[in-house]
Amino acid sequence: MPSFEQIKKLIIADEANKEFTAKGWQPLYSVHKKAKILIVGQAPGIKAQESGIFWNDPSGDRLREWLGMNRETFYHSRQLAILPMDFYFPGKGKSGDLPPRKDIADAYHPMLLANMPEIELTILIGAYAQSHYLGLGKSIKITELVKDYKIYLPDYFPLVHPSPRNNIWLKKNPWFEEEVIPDLQGQVKRILK
């Protein structure tokens, strides 16, 4: 089994990542042997890619609030790992960032996960992560999936994206912050005790 450092070298050397490597970008993720919680999201935004700090924006602030976690724990706890579906900013589309490139997670997540045997909970943020990890088709109904989150416990916890773009969704679905978030915080607290 390749080590974390060997996997990173493979990612950087991958022909599919040539344009990003040429820009001097590093793959953006965080892994630790002793990680107990894994967060799987979409892909870094351009600000994250350029700064080298993932979830360092209003979405990240809301995510940490949902987790009941401060910045110090989020960025420096060896019990938390973060794997996006794509390790690089995929570019801008007509209505926001492009989706994560296909096959990146297939190629590298299994190797990285093999080095993290203590993962107890995987938090799946958004449709790409949920579809991939839960084996669901492309016609995922996020609201129903998140509402039925208990079906996927204890291994997975599906969430909507914490982006400010989802403020309308949050207002239409008050049960999310009233019921789902307290349960998420309880799970996180129990695992990181």
Side-chain angles (χ1 to χ4, degrees), residues 86-105:
D86 191 339
F87 304 124
Y88 297 94
F89 170 64
K92 275 281 184 212
K94 290 179 184 174
S95 61
D97 295 348
L98 291 172
R101 294 170 298 152
K102 294 179 180 173
D103 305 327
I104 298 297

Side-chain angles (χ1 to χ4, degrees), residues 68-132:
M69 192 178 288
N70 62 34
R71 288 180 68 88
E72 178 66 23
T73 303
F74 187 82
Y75 287 112
H76 302 293
S77 171
R78 298 236 172 242
Q79 293 184 304
L80 182 70
I82 298 175
L83 280 182
M85 294 298 293
D86 191 339
F87 304 124
Y88 297 94
F89 170 64
K92 275 281 184 212
K94 290 179 184 174
S95 61
D97 295 348
L98 291 172
R101 294 170 298 152
K102 294 179 180 173
D103 305 327
I104 298 297
D106 286 337
Y108 296 105
H109 282 203
M111 285 189 277
L112 291 162
L113 289 169
N115 282 284
M116 296 187 287
E118 296 181 29
I119 296 289
E120 292 181 37
L121 180 66
T122 300
I123 299 168
L124 302 171
I125 299 175
Y128 295 105
Q130 291 158 4
S131 178
H132 181 83

Side-chain angles (χ1 to χ4, degrees), residues 13-43:
D14 189 325
E15 188 67 22
N17 298 325
K18 189 165 92 173
E19 71 173 284
F20 306 115
T21 302
K23 291 179 183 180
W25 289 356
Q26 290 292 308
L28 201 51
Y29 63 94
S30 177
V31 290
H32 308 285
K33 274 259 188 243
K34 297 288 185 186
K36 296 193 181 311
I37 295 175
L38 171 64
I39 297 173
V40 181
Q42 183 169 313

Side-chain angles (χ1 to χ4, degrees), residues 62-68 160-162 176-177 181 184-185:
R62 180 177 275 164
L63 176 60
R64 285 184 288 279
E65 183 181 314
W66 286 353
L67 295 169
V160 295
H161 197 284
F176 177 75
E177 290 186 315
I181 293 305
L184 173 65
Q185 290 175 353

